[in-house]
Amino acid sequence: MSHDNIDLAEILRKRGYRMTPQRQMVLDAVCESGGHVAPERIYEAVNEKSEAVNRATVYRILKFLREIQLVTATASPDGHLLYEIASGEPHHHLLCRKCGADLELPNEHFSRLWQQLFSEFGFRVEEMHVTFQGLCADCQGGRASRR
Amino acid sequence: MSHDNIDLAEILRKRGYRMTPQRQMVLDAVCESGGHVAPERIYEAVNEKSEAVNRATVYRILKFLREIQLVTATASPDGHLLYEIASGEPHHHLLCRKCGADLELPNEHFSRLWQQLFSEFGFRVEEMHVTFQGLCADCQGGRASRR
DNA sequence: ATGGATGCAAAAGTTTTGCAAAGAA
DNA sequence: TTCTTTGCAAAACTTTTGCATCCAT
């Protein structure tokens, strides 16, 4: 698990928010899922783990956690939000549209870009988790969408 | 308008598909919108322009056009698909989460990355339209989510 | 005790699907 | 004519909202 449970309540309180069992469970679920989780999956995980938590609450908590930047959210290529713990090492995905292969792309390829965006535009990127779509090496021979 | 109407029917037929008024109208709407359009906006534009076209049809056509790569789709940071004509010059967005400023980022910052992904992973990126979220230069003084 | 957070239920919004009818080739 | 594509209507799915209640501080 990549977050430190002990500090989270403290962090929330320092910012004027409250720690609740629901928030704790959602945070745990996000952490344990290991990144890129859909809200529905988190809802399932939370419900499974212990007492029933309302779906609306899970959505509200995820939105809240994103706003206070304890989690980040990325949009998948099919247009749905995926959540991830903010402290995780950033990484990205190369998703083949033909075979579905999912290559993981280390963040080092982006760190130069990150710095460039800051020096050139003064823009401090907070969320740059991205999935690129295309064709992996194996699928390029096949001409996926031709007939 | 950035696409060539004359050729589109030909392109579709060559690949074994048919050109229909609905597909033409959707393509026109995507082009005229100038990039990053939500399906619902396209539906509105199409309906406004001429005879009634069904919403389901618009969604089907957009999905189809994306599959055959006449349009590309990007997911916005709030998790919705935005469509764009494929022939347009790729560009990206730096979206400030505090003031909503939307800086446009030319593709040149990515072309090196594009090549790197190909030479290193053999992966040919087709869709890399991306919106980065963060804080613009003006908003960094304010500590947006602190109190 | 006090105000923020949750549960519930309902609504809103978005996208998909099955099938008959229409129409492009 | 033939087979793809569309319209329609309904369903599926995802996310949000209002309000009373609960509970963390």
Side-chain angles (χ1 to χ4, degrees):
Chain A
M1 197 180 315
S2 58
H3 76 280
D4 189 339
N5 280 313
I6 304 169
D7 290 326
L8 287 177
E10 197 63 20
I11 290 173
L12 288 181
R13 258 167 284 172
K14 260 184 199 157
R15 300 206 204 168
Y17 308 110
R18 297 176 182 176
M19 177 52 98
T20 64
Q22 290 90 340
R23 287 180 173 172
Q24 184 68 62
M25 285 190 285
V26 168
L27 272 165
D28 288 345
V30 171
C31 281
E32 284 162 16
S33 65
H36 290 111
V37 223
E40 195 60 25
R41 302 240 77 84
I42 298 172
Y43 169 65
E44 287 167 10
V46 167
N47 252 1
E48 191 175 285
K49 188 153 299 181
S50 49
E51 69 225 75
V53 176
N54 196 269
R55 182 181 275 103
T57 303
V58 172
Y59 278 87
R60 269 188 296 230
I61 289 178
L62 286 171
K63 202 172 188 179
F64 163 75
L65 291 176
R66 186 187 189 191
E67 278 164 10
I68 67 170
Q69 297 189 266
L70 288 185
V71 306
T72 60
T74 324
S76 67
D78 61 321
H80 288 111
L81 283 185
L82 302 176
Y83 289 89
E84 188 158 15
I85 196 74
S87 57
E89 178 62 20
H91 60 278
H92 313 272
H93 291 264
L94 296 174
L95 185 65
C96 180
R97 73 171 153 85
K98 191 176 181 190
C99 71
D102 187 358
L103 299 169
E104 201 163 278
L105 178 62
N107 193 52
E108 52 180 4
H109 294 80
F110 286 87
S111 48
R112 196 186 312 152
L113 177 62
W114 196 95
Q115 289 166 358
Q116 200 177 7
L117 295 182
F118 185 61
S119 61
E120 193 168 329
F121 297 92
F123 193 95
R124 187 178 301 277
V125 173
E126 295 169 341
E127 291 186 354
M128 56 185 299
H129 249 174
V130 171
T131 301
F132 293 120
Q133 261 201 344
L135 283 182
C136 71
D138 291 342
C139 288
Q140 282 171 46
R143 303 295 206 179
S145 62
R146 302 281 174 80
R147 41 164 56 195
Chain B
M1 200 179 313
S2 58
H3 76 281
D4 188 338
N5 280 313
I6 302 169
D7 291 328
L8 287 177
E10 197 62 20
I11 291 172
L12 288 182
R13 259 167 287 173
K14 261 183 200 157
R15 299 205 203 167
Y17 308 110
R18 297 175 182 176
M19 177 51 97
T20 65
Q22 291 88 339
R23 286 179 173 174
Q24 184 68 64
M25 285 190 286
V26 168
L27 271 165
D28 287 346
V30 173
C31 281
E32 285 161 15
S33 65
H36 291 108
V37 223
E40 196 58 26
R41 303 239 76 84
I42 297 172
Y43 169 66
E44 288 168 8
V46 167
N47 253 359
E48 191 174 283
K49 188 155 298 179
S50 49
E51 69 226 75
V53 176
N54 195 270
R55 182 181 275 104
T57 303
V58 172
Y59 278 88
R60 270 190 295 230
I61 290 178
L62 286 171
K63 203 171 187 178
F64 163 75
L65 291 176
R66 187 188 189 189
E67 276 163 12
I68 66 171
Q69 297 190 268
L70 288 185
V71 305
T72 60
T74 324
S76 65
D78 60 323
H80 287 109
L81 284 185
L82 301 176
Y83 288 91
E84 187 157 16
I85 195 73
S87 57
E89 176 64 20
H91 61 279
H92 313 271
H93 293 263
L94 296 174
L95 186 63
C96 180
R97 74 172 152 83
K98 191 176 179 190
C99 71
D102 187 359
L103 298 169
E104 203 164 277
L105 178 62
N107 193 52
E108 53 179 3
H109 294 80
F110 286 88
S111 48
R112 195 186 315 152
L113 178 61
W114 194 96
Q115 290 166 356
Q116 199 177 5
L117 294 182
F118 185 60
S119 61
E120 192 167 331
F121 296 93
F123 193 94
R124 190 178 298 278
V125 173
E126 295 169 342
E127 293 186 352
M128 59 184 299
H129 250 175
V130 171
T131 301
F132 294 121
Q133 262 199 345
L135 283 182
C136 71
D138 291 343
C139 288
Q140 281 171 45
R143 302 294 205 178
S145 63
R146 304 279 175 80
R147 43 166 52 197

